[in-house]
Amino acid sequence: RTAVAQIPVVVHVVWNKPEQNISQAQIDSQISVLNDDFNAANSDLSKVPAAFRPLVGNPLIRFFLAKRDPEGKSTVGVTRTQTAIISFDHNSATDPLDQRMKFTAQGGTDGWPSDRYLNIWVCKQGGLQSLLGFAQFLGLSATTDGVVISHTAFGKGGTATSPFDLGRTASHEIGHWLNLLHIWGDDDGWGAGLLCSGTDLCDDTPNQAIPNRGGPAFPHITCRNGPNGDLFMNYMDYSDDATTVMFTKGQVARMDATLSGPRASLAG
Ligand code: ARG
Ligand code: ZN
Ligand code: CA
């Protein structure tokens, strides 16, 4: 693909305390981060060590706040809903309560048709897992399709909180929404010996044991992946926002397949 795919976005701000009703500037900053990150135009791409530079891919995707709502009326592409729910607690991967922000009848707000919009819900996240965000993979219910981001990890400025205040949680979650898996293959937690058996189904990402946190020093070697080690500067790792700066060509191929396949109706 040489043309840039254009994806309409609606941001649903679901707030309890007034500070969670984030500003338009905080929303705009997130859209601008996405447009840098998904066009390999982020200035911190220069942090990629020379040995990994040939792996850098360019997804060629532009995100924009929708200008028409589902009825065709003019919109700013943002909905704002006051809720009585103090915190949308996330306790497991399967608890239906985790999805309440996505339903008007449950204290959230209904998503817009997921074949025409990328729905992004922004709310307070808490609970056992206290996530920065989570995404829905392909092929699941249309009513819950999209991504959820904590207001503390959304965009820059406002309520965005260090070290997750550079908008990279949305880059990570939208990566999942476009069918990317975690770079370490999600085989952590299964005990010693299995840490190197998982795969993210991309040929060009080094095999990696477990998620990285913070900002590792290069090279960080696991799973006999020397001399260059883990690609901890990839958006699909768990490193801090200032550390994650790139997608690979293999990841771009998976996102391309999603945009020409299951999510083709979204990419204008
Ligand atoms: N789902 C992950 C979490 O909640 C998101 C990780 C995003 N990483 C980042 N650097 N912002 O922990
Ligand atoms: Zn993830
Ligand atoms: Ca692994």
Side-chain angles (χ1 to χ4, degrees):
R1 183 160 54 78
T2 51
V4 177
Q6 317 263 350
I7 299 191
V9 174
V10 55
V11 174
H12 304 290
V13 179
V14 182
W15 61 278
N16 176 264
K17 291 197 176 59
E19 63 151 23
Q20 297 156 10
N21 189 13
I22 59 168
S23 69
Q24 184 67 38
Q26 193 174 341
I27 295 170
D28 290 341
S29 74
Q30 179 64 73
I31 299 294
S32 132
V33 168
L34 292 173
N35 287 329
D36 286 343
D37 290 358
F38 284 81
N39 289 282
N42 48 305
S43 56
D44 54 4
L45 189 58
S46 58
K47 290 182 180 174
V48 175
F52 283 142
R53 246 165 248 159
L55 300 183
V56 173
N58 183 351
L60 288 175
I61 302 172
R62 176 179 164 258
F63 299 87
F64 64 97
L65 290 171
K67 293 179 178 63
R68 297 277 158 195
D69 73 8
E71 278 86 54
K73 291 196 212 94
S74 177
T75 176
V76 291
V78 177
T79 72
R80 295 180 181 275
T81 306
Q82 188 172 6
T83 182
I85 295 175
I86 288 165
S87 175
F88 288 89
D89 290 353
H90 199 102
N91 296 316
S92 76
T94 50
D95 187 346
L97 288 179
D98 298 345
Q99 307 284 343
R100 285 182 299 176
M101 71 291 286
K102 300 177 180 177
F103 297 99
T104 305
Q106 296 178 33
T109 196
D110 292 343
W112 291 7
S114 65
D115 57 344
R116 291 161 59 200
Y117 303 94
L118 163 57
N119 286 279
I120 303 181
W121 286 269
V122 180
C123 58
K124 180 173 165 61
Q125 288 281 109
L128 292 177
Q129 299 193 327
S130 202
L131 296 178
L132 302 170
F134 63 96
Q136 181 164 306
F137 285 97
L138 298 176
L140 300 168
S141 171
T143 55
T144 49
D145 196 23
V147 305
V148 178
I149 313 282
S150 165
H151 73 94
T152 59
F154 191 78
K156 298 180 178 177
T159 61
T161 306
S162 177
F164 302 110
D165 56 346
L166 298 178
R168 263 59 196 258
T169 300
S171 302
H172 176 104
E173 301 306 338
I174 293 170
H176 284 315
W177 180 81
L178 291 169
N179 206 25
L180 298 189
L181 304 177
H182 287 139
I183 195 160
W184 66 94
D186 283 314
D187 57 348
D188 51 311
W190 294 91
L194 287 174
L195 301 179
C196 299
S197 64
T199 174
D200 64 354
L201 304 176
C202 288
D203 290 341
D204 60 355
T205 56
N207 189 12
Q208 170 177 323
I210 57 172
N212 285 293
R213 309 257 173 197
F218 174 84
H220 183 252
I221 296 167
T222 66
C223 295
R224 290 194 273 158
N225 62 12
N228 299 327
D230 293 357
L231 196 68
F232 57 80
M233 69 296 305
N234 190 269
Y235 296 122
M236 301 317 290
D237 205 335
Y238 272 179
S239 322
D240 287 347
D241 277 16
T243 298
T244 55
V245 299
M246 65 169 282
F247 292 111
T248 69
K249 294 185 168 81
Q251 289 173 324
V252 169
R254 285 180 67 84
M255 293 194 269
D256 265 353
T258 303
L259 287 177
S260 58
R263 296 204 188 277
S265 61
L266 272 132

